[in-house]
Amino acid sequence: MSPTDTDEAERHRAKMVKRKQVQDAEEASKSIEKGLLMVNTGPGKGKSTAAFGLALRALGHGWRVGVVQFIKGRATGEQAALESFGDRVVWHTAGEGFTWETQDKARDIAACQRAWGIALGLMDDPAIRLVVLDELNIALRYDYLPLDEVVARLTARRDGLHVIVTGRNAKPALIEAADLVTEMGAVKHHFAAGVKTQAGIEF
């Protein structure tokens, strides 16, 4: 190694030592441990995908996970994959398809109310540590469920329970109540170029 390379390596090492000290101090300053209310929203693709990735992470740590799909009605690859974990995953596809497919508001509202009842049961189950409420934001956007009641119940969840809510157009009240909010941006999407939805990518 040349003297120049040696100097560069030493500068890098010294920089990383300082960086580690900052990171360690930041980590040490955090003392709160709690169940989180998380929201994945925005116009970009990947909101549900990220939530199911989190479910996979939780399963890797031995947790039990509950999933309620509020709008989607068809079987998905995520469901098949996560159900392979057996009784460690409780999955409910409670939706009947998007609103433009059902074309029946009363039916959509009834389906969302059933889904919310299922969600409450999962949230009250002490054996479950993570609950995924897939597309709940859509149900709230169309006023299929009472926003104040949903936010109040999510806020009052039992200690240690993590809940993640997905879907576009998250309501401001839910964003305010959440501990973590991620907005997926729409930079480019193959659908706009005429590429159809595909198993393994969209579902």
Side-chain angles (χ1 to χ4, degrees), residues 1-57:
M1 183 179 290
S2 71
T4 300
D5 290 340
T6 300
D7 289 345
E8 176 61 28
E10 180 56 31
R11 282 194 296 270
H12 176 75
R13 189 195 69 78
K15 182 179 179 181
M16 290 303 105
V17 166
K18 291 180 181 178
R19 177 66 184 272
K20 185 177 187 312
Q21 290 172 345
V22 171
Q23 291 296 123
D24 288 349
E26 178 76 9
E27 183 68 26
S29 71
K30 306 297 187 281
S31 59
I32 300 170
E33 185 171 343
K34 58 171 286 190
L36 300 175
L37 174 57
M38 298 163 278
V39 176
N40 288 352
T41 192
K45 177 175 166 54
K47 297 176 287 293
S48 296
T49 305
F52 294 132
L54 185 63
L56 185 61
R57 177 180 291 165

Short mmCIF file of all heavy atoms in Angstrom, two decimals, residues 1-57:
data_model
loop_
_atom_site.label_atom_id
_atom_site.label_comp_id
_atom_site.label_asym_id
_atom_site.label_seq_id
_atom_site.Cartn_x
_atom_site.Cartn_y
_atom_site.Cartn_z
N MET A 1 0.85 -1.19 0.00
CA MET A 1 0.00 0.00 0.00
C MET A 1 0.88 1.24 0.00
O MET A 1 1.83 1.35 0.79
CB MET A 1 -0.91 -0.01 1.23
CG MET A 1 -1.89 1.15 1.30
SD MET A 1 -2.96 1.09 2.76
CE MET A 1 -3.99 -0.32 2.37
N SER A 2 0.60 2.18 -0.88
CA SER A 2 1.41 3.39 -0.99
C SER A 2 1.13 4.32 0.19
O SER A 2 0.10 4.19 0.87
CB SER A 2 1.08 4.13 -2.30
OG SER A 2 -0.22 4.70 -2.22
N PRO A 3 2.08 5.25 0.46
CA PRO A 3 1.85 6.21 1.56
C PRO A 3 0.53 6.97 1.40
O PRO A 3 -0.16 7.23 2.39
CB PRO A 3 3.05 7.15 1.45
CG PRO A 3 4.13 6.30 0.85
CD PRO A 3 3.42 5.41 -0.13
N THR A 4 0.18 7.31 0.15
CA THR A 4 -1.08 8.01 -0.09
C THR A 4 -2.27 7.15 0.31
O THR A 4 -3.21 7.62 0.96
CB THR A 4 -1.21 8.41 -1.56
OG1 THR A 4 -0.11 9.26 -1.93
CG2 THR A 4 -2.52 9.14 -1.81
N ASP A 5 -2.19 5.87 -0.08
CA ASP A 5 -3.27 4.94 0.28
C ASP A 5 -3.35 4.75 1.79
O ASP A 5 -4.43 4.67 2.37
CB ASP A 5 -3.06 3.59 -0.40
CG ASP A 5 -3.28 3.66 -1.91
OD1 ASP A 5 -3.94 4.61 -2.35
OD2 ASP A 5 -2.78 2.76 -2.62
N THR A 6 -2.18 4.68 2.43
CA THR A 6 -2.14 4.52 3.88
C THR A 6 -2.76 5.71 4.59
O THR A 6 -3.54 5.56 5.54
CB THR A 6 -0.68 4.34 4.36
OG1 THR A 6 -0.12 3.19 3.75
CG2 THR A 6 -0.62 4.18 5.87
N ASP A 7 -2.44 6.91 4.10
CA ASP A 7 -3.01 8.13 4.69
C ASP A 7 -4.53 8.16 4.51
O ASP A 7 -5.27 8.53 5.43
CB ASP A 7 -2.40 9.37 4.04
CG ASP A 7 -0.94 9.58 4.44
OD1 ASP A 7 -0.51 8.93 5.40
OD2 ASP A 7 -0.25 10.37 3.76
N GLU A 8 -4.99 7.78 3.32
CA GLU A 8 -6.43 7.76 3.05
C GLU A 8 -7.15 6.76 3.94
O GLU A 8 -8.23 7.03 4.48
CB GLU A 8 -6.68 7.44 1.58
CG GLU A 8 -8.14 7.29 1.19
CD GLU A 8 -8.96 8.55 1.43
OE1 GLU A 8 -8.38 9.65 1.37
OE2 GLU A 8 -10.17 8.43 1.68
N ALA A 9 -6.52 5.58 4.12
CA ALA A 9 -7.11 4.55 4.98
C ALA A 9 -7.20 5.04 6.42
O ALA A 9 -8.19 4.79 7.11
CB ALA A 9 -6.29 3.27 4.90
N GLU A 10 -6.17 5.76 6.88
CA GLU A 10 -6.17 6.26 8.25
C GLU A 10 -7.22 7.35 8.45
O GLU A 10 -7.90 7.39 9.48
CB GLU A 10 -4.78 6.80 8.61
CG GLU A 10 -4.67 7.35 10.03
CD GLU A 10 -5.06 6.35 11.10
OE1 GLU A 10 -4.88 5.14 10.90
OE2 GLU A 10 -5.58 6.79 12.16
N ARG A 11 -7.35 8.21 7.44
CA ARG A 11 -8.37 9.25 7.53
C ARG A 11 -9.77 8.62 7.57
O ARG A 11 -10.64 9.07 8.33
CB ARG A 11 -8.26 10.21 6.33
CG ARG A 11 -7.14 11.23 6.46
CD ARG A 11 -7.29 12.34 5.43
NE ARG A 11 -7.17 11.85 4.07
CZ ARG A 11 -6.03 11.76 3.40
NH1 ARG A 11 -4.88 12.11 3.97
NH2 ARG A 11 -6.01 11.31 2.16
N HIS A 12 -9.96 7.60 6.76
CA HIS A 12 -11.26 6.91 6.75
C HIS A 12 -11.52 6.26 8.10
O HIS A 12 -12.63 6.36 8.65
CB HIS A 12 -11.29 5.85 5.65
CG HIS A 12 -12.56 5.04 5.63
ND1 HIS A 12 -13.75 5.53 5.16
CD2 HIS A 12 -12.82 3.78 6.09
CE1 HIS A 12 -14.68 4.62 5.30
NE2 HIS A 12 -14.15 3.56 5.86
N ARG A 13 -10.49 5.59 8.66
CA ARG A 13 -10.67 4.93 9.95
C ARG A 13 -11.01 5.94 11.04
O ARG A 13 -11.94 5.74 11.84
CB ARG A 13 -9.40 4.18 10.34
CG ARG A 13 -9.56 3.27 11.57
CD ARG A 13 -8.23 2.83 12.12
NE ARG A 13 -7.52 3.95 12.72
CZ ARG A 13 -7.80 4.45 13.93
NH1 ARG A 13 -8.78 3.92 14.68
NH2 ARG A 13 -7.13 5.47 14.40
N ALA A 14 -10.30 7.08 11.06
CA ALA A 14 -10.55 8.10 12.07
C ALA A 14 -11.96 8.67 11.92
O ALA A 14 -12.66 8.92 12.92
CB ALA A 14 -9.52 9.22 11.96
N LYS A 15 -12.40 8.86 10.67
CA LYS A 15 -13.75 9.36 10.42
C LYS A 15 -14.80 8.39 10.92
O LYS A 15 -15.81 8.78 11.53
CB LYS A 15 -13.91 9.62 8.92
CG LYS A 15 -15.25 10.20 8.53
CD LYS A 15 -15.32 10.46 7.04
CE LYS A 15 -16.66 11.02 6.63
NZ LYS A 15 -16.73 11.27 5.15
N MET A 16 -14.58 7.09 10.67
CA MET A 16 -15.55 6.08 11.09
C MET A 16 -15.56 5.91 12.61
O MET A 16 -16.61 5.60 13.20
CB MET A 16 -15.24 4.75 10.40
CG MET A 16 -15.54 4.75 8.91
SD MET A 16 -17.26 5.20 8.49
CE MET A 16 -17.03 6.90 7.89
N VAL A 17 -14.42 6.11 13.27
CA VAL A 17 -14.38 6.06 14.74
C VAL A 17 -15.28 7.14 15.31
O VAL A 17 -16.07 6.91 16.22
CB VAL A 17 -12.93 6.22 15.25
CG1 VAL A 17 -12.92 6.51 16.75
CG2 VAL A 17 -12.11 4.96 14.97
N LYS A 18 -15.17 8.36 14.75
CA LYS A 18 -16.02 9.46 15.20
C LYS A 18 -17.49 9.19 14.90
O LYS A 18 -18.37 9.47 15.72
CB LYS A 18 -15.58 10.77 14.54
CG LYS A 18 -14.22 11.27 15.03
CD LYS A 18 -13.85 12.57 14.34
CE LYS A 18 -12.49 13.07 14.81
NZ LYS A 18 -12.07 14.32 14.13
N ARG A 19 -17.72 8.64 13.71
CA ARG A 19 -19.11 8.33 13.33
C ARG A 19 -19.71 7.30 14.27
O ARG A 19 -20.88 7.42 14.68
CB ARG A 19 -19.13 7.81 11.89
CG ARG A 19 -20.49 7.39 11.39
CD ARG A 19 -21.44 8.57 11.27
NE ARG A 19 -22.77 8.16 10.88
CZ ARG A 19 -23.19 8.02 9.63
NH1 ARG A 19 -22.35 8.28 8.63
NH2 ARG A 19 -24.41 7.65 9.38
N LYS A 20 -18.92 6.30 14.64
CA LYS A 20 -19.42 5.26 15.55
C LYS A 20 -19.72 5.85 16.92
O LYS A 20 -20.71 5.48 17.57
CB LYS A 20 -18.41 4.13 15.68
CG LYS A 20 -18.92 2.96 16.52
CD LYS A 20 -17.94 1.82 16.57
CE LYS A 20 -18.52 0.60 17.27
NZ LYS A 20 -19.18 0.88 18.55
N GLN A 21 -18.89 6.78 17.37
CA GLN A 21 -19.14 7.41 18.67
C GLN A 21 -20.47 8.16 18.66
O GLN A 21 -21.24 8.10 19.63
CB GLN A 21 -17.99 8.37 19.01
CG GLN A 21 -16.68 7.67 19.33
CD GLN A 21 -15.51 8.63 19.46
OE1 GLN A 21 -15.60 9.79 19.04
NE2 GLN A 21 -14.42 8.15 20.04
N VAL A 22 -20.74 8.87 17.56
CA VAL A 22 -22.01 9.60 17.43
C VAL A 22 -23.18 8.62 17.41
O VAL A 22 -24.19 8.83 18.09
CB VAL A 22 -22.00 10.47 16.16
CG1 VAL A 22 -23.39 11.04 15.90
CG2 VAL A 22 -20.97 11.58 16.27
N GLN A 23 -23.04 7.55 16.62
CA GLN A 23 -24.12 6.56 16.51
C GLN A 23 -24.38 5.87 17.85
O GLN A 23 -25.53 5.67 18.24
CB GLN A 23 -23.77 5.51 15.45
CG GLN A 23 -23.76 6.03 14.03
CD GLN A 23 -25.12 6.50 13.57
OE1 GLN A 23 -25.27 7.66 13.17
NE2 GLN A 23 -26.10 5.64 13.61
N ASP A 24 -23.30 5.51 18.55
CA ASP A 24 -23.45 4.84 19.84
C ASP A 24 -24.12 5.76 20.87
O ASP A 24 -24.97 5.31 21.65
CB ASP A 24 -22.08 4.39 20.37
CG ASP A 24 -21.51 3.22 19.59
OD1 ASP A 24 -22.25 2.62 18.78
OD2 ASP A 24 -20.31 2.91 19.77
N ALA A 25 -23.74 7.04 20.84
CA ALA A 25 -24.35 8.00 21.77
C ALA A 25 -25.83 8.18 21.46
O ALA A 25 -26.67 8.27 22.37
CB ALA A 25 -23.62 9.34 21.70
N GLU A 26 -26.16 8.23 20.17
CA GLU A 26 -27.56 8.38 19.76
C GLU A 26 -28.38 7.18 20.22
O GLU A 26 -29.48 7.33 20.75
CB GLU A 26 -27.62 8.52 18.24
CG GLU A 26 -29.02 8.62 17.66
CD GLU A 26 -29.66 9.98 17.86
OE1 GLU A 26 -28.96 10.91 18.30
OE2 GLU A 26 -30.86 10.09 17.59
N GLU A 27 -27.85 5.98 20.02
CA GLU A 27 -28.54 4.77 20.42
C GLU A 27 -28.72 4.71 21.94
O GLU A 27 -29.78 4.35 22.44
CB GLU A 27 -27.76 3.53 19.94
CG GLU A 27 -28.40 2.20 20.24
CD GLU A 27 -29.69 1.96 19.46
OE1 GLU A 27 -29.85 2.55 18.37
OE2 GLU A 27 -30.52 1.19 19.96
N ALA A 28 -27.67 5.11 22.67
CA ALA A 28 -27.72 5.06 24.14
C ALA A 28 -28.73 6.05 24.71
O ALA A 28 -29.22 5.87 25.83
CB ALA A 28 -26.34 5.33 24.71
N SER A 29 -29.04 7.11 23.95
CA SER A 29 -29.96 8.13 24.45
C SER A 29 -31.42 7.69 24.37
O SER A 29 -32.30 8.35 24.91
CB SER A 29 -29.78 9.43 23.64
OG SER A 29 -30.29 9.29 22.32
N LYS A 30 -31.69 6.58 23.68
CA LYS A 30 -33.06 6.09 23.52
C LYS A 30 -33.36 5.05 24.59
O LYS A 30 -32.66 4.04 24.69
CB LYS A 30 -33.24 5.48 22.13
CG LYS A 30 -32.84 6.41 20.98
CD LYS A 30 -33.72 7.65 20.93
CE LYS A 30 -33.44 8.50 19.71
NZ LYS A 30 -32.26 9.33 19.80
N SER A 31 -34.41 5.29 25.35
CA SER A 31 -34.72 4.39 26.47
C SER A 31 -36.14 3.83 26.43
O SER A 31 -36.48 2.95 27.21
CB SER A 31 -34.50 5.11 27.80
OG SER A 31 -35.33 6.26 27.88
N ILE A 32 -36.97 4.33 25.52
CA ILE A 32 -38.38 3.92 25.48
C ILE A 32 -38.54 2.67 24.63
O ILE A 32 -38.01 2.59 23.52
CB ILE A 32 -39.27 5.04 24.92
CG1 ILE A 32 -39.16 6.30 25.78
CG2 ILE A 32 -40.71 4.58 24.79
CD1 ILE A 32 -39.81 7.52 25.17
N GLU A 33 -39.26 1.69 25.15
CA GLU A 33 -39.63 0.50 24.38
C GLU A 33 -41.14 0.38 24.40
O GLU A 33 -41.74 0.35 25.47
CB GLU A 33 -38.97 -0.75 24.95
CG GLU A 33 -39.21 -1.98 24.12
CD GLU A 33 -38.39 -3.19 24.58
OE1 GLU A 33 -37.41 -2.99 25.31
OE2 GLU A 33 -38.75 -4.31 24.19
N LYS A 34 -41.77 0.35 23.22
CA LYS A 34 -43.23 0.35 23.18
C LYS A 34 -43.70 -0.25 21.86
O LYS A 34 -42.96 -0.33 20.89
CB LYS A 34 -43.76 1.79 23.29
CG LYS A 34 -43.24 2.72 22.20
CD LYS A 34 -43.94 4.08 22.19
CE LYS A 34 -45.33 3.99 21.64
NZ LYS A 34 -45.96 5.29 21.40
N GLY A 35 -44.96 -0.66 21.87
CA GLY A 35 -45.58 -1.07 20.63
C GLY A 35 -45.81 0.15 19.76
O GLY A 35 -46.20 1.22 20.26
N LEU A 36 -45.58 0.02 18.48
CA LEU A 36 -45.66 1.15 17.55
C LEU A 36 -46.91 1.08 16.68
O LEU A 36 -47.34 0.00 16.27
CB LEU A 36 -44.43 1.17 16.64
CG LEU A 36 -43.06 1.31 17.31
CD1 LEU A 36 -41.97 1.19 16.27
CD2 LEU A 36 -42.96 2.62 18.08
N LEU A 37 -47.45 2.25 16.38
CA LEU A 37 -48.48 2.40 15.35
C LEU A 37 -47.77 2.96 14.12
O LEU A 37 -47.24 4.08 14.17
CB LEU A 37 -49.60 3.33 15.81
CG LEU A 37 -50.67 3.67 14.75
CD1 LEU A 37 -51.33 2.40 14.21
CD2 LEU A 37 -51.70 4.62 15.34
N MET A 38 -47.75 2.18 13.04
CA MET A 38 -47.01 2.55 11.84
C MET A 38 -47.98 2.69 10.67
O MET A 38 -48.96 1.95 10.57
CB MET A 38 -45.95 1.48 11.53
CG MET A 38 -44.91 1.33 12.63
SD MET A 38 -43.96 -0.22 12.51
CE MET A 38 -45.11 -1.37 13.30
N VAL A 39 -47.69 3.62 9.77
CA VAL A 39 -48.54 3.87 8.61
C VAL A 39 -47.68 3.93 7.36
O VAL A 39 -46.71 4.68 7.29
CB VAL A 39 -49.32 5.21 8.76
CG1 VAL A 39 -50.13 5.49 7.50
CG2 VAL A 39 -50.22 5.17 9.99
N ASN A 40 -48.04 3.11 6.37
CA ASN A 40 -47.43 3.17 5.04
C ASN A 40 -48.46 3.76 4.09
O ASN A 40 -49.51 3.15 3.86
CB ASN A 40 -47.03 1.77 4.54
CG ASN A 40 -45.84 1.20 5.27
OD1 ASN A 40 -45.19 1.89 6.05
ND2 ASN A 40 -45.56 -0.06 5.04
N THR A 41 -48.16 4.92 3.53
CA THR A 41 -49.13 5.59 2.67
C THR A 41 -48.42 6.20 1.47
O THR A 41 -47.23 5.97 1.26
CB THR A 41 -49.93 6.65 3.47
OG1 THR A 41 -51.05 7.08 2.70
CG2 THR A 41 -49.06 7.81 3.90
N GLY A 42 -49.15 6.97 0.68
CA GLY A 42 -48.56 7.62 -0.49
C GLY A 42 -48.98 6.95 -1.79
O GLY A 42 -49.50 5.84 -1.81
N PRO A 43 -48.71 7.62 -2.92
CA PRO A 43 -49.15 7.13 -4.22
C PRO A 43 -48.26 6.05 -4.84
O PRO A 43 -48.63 5.45 -5.84
CB PRO A 43 -49.12 8.40 -5.09
CG PRO A 43 -48.02 9.22 -4.49
CD PRO A 43 -48.11 8.97 -3.00
N GLY A 44 -47.12 5.81 -4.25
CA GLY A 44 -46.19 4.86 -4.85
C GLY A 44 -46.50 3.41 -4.52
O GLY A 44 -47.21 3.10 -3.56
N LYS A 45 -45.95 2.52 -5.31
CA LYS A 45 -46.10 1.08 -5.10
C LYS A 45 -45.23 0.63 -3.93
O LYS A 45 -44.14 1.15 -3.74
CB LYS A 45 -45.70 0.34 -6.38
CG LYS A 45 -45.73 -1.18 -6.27
CD LYS A 45 -45.44 -1.81 -7.63
CE LYS A 45 -45.13 -3.30 -7.50
NZ LYS A 45 -46.18 -4.03 -6.77
N GLY A 46 -45.71 -0.35 -3.17
CA GLY A 46 -44.86 -0.96 -2.16
C GLY A 46 -45.34 -0.82 -0.72
O GLY A 46 -44.66 -1.28 0.20
N LYS A 47 -46.50 -0.25 -0.50
CA LYS A 47 -46.98 -0.03 0.87
C LYS A 47 -47.29 -1.36 1.57
O LYS A 47 -46.81 -1.62 2.67
CB LYS A 47 -48.22 0.87 0.84
CG LYS A 47 -47.92 2.27 0.27
CD LYS A 47 -49.16 3.12 0.15
CE LYS A 47 -50.07 2.69 -1.00
NZ LYS A 47 -49.46 2.91 -2.33
N SER A 48 -48.09 -2.19 0.92
CA SER A 48 -48.40 -3.50 1.50
C SER A 48 -47.17 -4.39 1.49
O SER A 48 -46.92 -5.14 2.44
CB SER A 48 -49.54 -4.17 0.71
OG SER A 48 -50.73 -3.42 0.82
N THR A 49 -46.40 -4.31 0.42
CA THR A 49 -45.19 -5.12 0.31
C THR A 49 -44.26 -4.87 1.49
O THR A 49 -43.72 -5.81 2.09
CB THR A 49 -44.45 -4.82 -1.01
OG1 THR A 49 -45.36 -5.00 -2.10
CG2 THR A 49 -43.26 -5.72 -1.19
N ALA A 50 -44.08 -3.60 1.85
CA ALA A 50 -43.22 -3.26 2.99
C ALA A 50 -43.80 -3.80 4.29
O ALA A 50 -43.07 -4.28 5.16
CB ALA A 50 -43.03 -1.76 3.06
N ALA A 51 -45.12 -3.72 4.43
CA ALA A 51 -45.75 -4.22 5.65
C ALA A 51 -45.55 -5.73 5.80
O ALA A 51 -45.28 -6.24 6.89
CB ALA A 51 -47.25 -3.89 5.64
N PHE A 52 -45.66 -6.45 4.68
CA PHE A 52 -45.47 -7.90 4.75
C PHE A 52 -44.00 -8.25 4.95
O PHE A 52 -43.68 -9.28 5.54
CB PHE A 52 -46.05 -8.57 3.50
CG PHE A 52 -47.55 -8.44 3.42
CD1 PHE A 52 -48.17 -8.01 2.26
CD2 PHE A 52 -48.34 -8.72 4.51
CE1 PHE A 52 -49.55 -7.88 2.19
CE2 PHE A 52 -49.72 -8.59 4.47
CZ PHE A 52 -50.33 -8.16 3.29
N GLY A 53 -43.12 -7.39 4.47
CA GLY A 53 -41.69 -7.59 4.78
C GLY A 53 -41.45 -7.45 6.27
O GLY A 53 -40.66 -8.21 6.86
N LEU A 54 -42.13 -6.50 6.91
CA LEU A 54 -42.02 -6.34 8.35
C LEU A 54 -42.59 -7.56 9.07
O LEU A 54 -42.03 -8.02 10.08
CB LEU A 54 -42.76 -5.07 8.79
CG LEU A 54 -42.65 -4.70 10.26
CD1 LEU A 54 -41.21 -4.41 10.65
CD2 LEU A 54 -43.54 -3.51 10.57
N ALA A 55 -43.69 -8.09 8.55
CA ALA A 55 -44.27 -9.31 9.13
C ALA A 55 -43.27 -10.45 9.06
O ALA A 55 -43.12 -11.22 10.02
CB ALA A 55 -45.56 -9.67 8.41
N LEU A 56 -42.56 -10.57 7.95
CA LEU A 56 -41.55 -11.62 7.81
C LEU A 56 -40.43 -11.43 8.83
O LEU A 56 -39.96 -12.39 9.43
CB LEU A 56 -41.00 -11.61 6.39
CG LEU A 56 -40.01 -12.72 6.04
CD1 LEU A 56 -40.65 -14.08 6.17
CD2 LEU A 56 -39.47 -12.50 4.63
N ARG A 57 -40.01 -10.19 9.02
CA ARG A 57 -38.99 -9.90 10.02
C ARG A 57 -39.46 -10.32 11.41
O ARG A 57 -38.71 -10.93 12.18
CB ARG A 57 -38.64 -8.41 10.00
CG ARG A 57 -37.63 -7.99 11.07
CD ARG A 57 -37.34 -6.50 10.97
NE ARG A 57 -36.59 -6.22 9.76
CZ ARG A 57 -36.43 -4.99 9.26
NH1 ARG A 57 -37.00 -3.96 9.84
NH2 ARG A 57 -35.73 -4.81 8.16
#
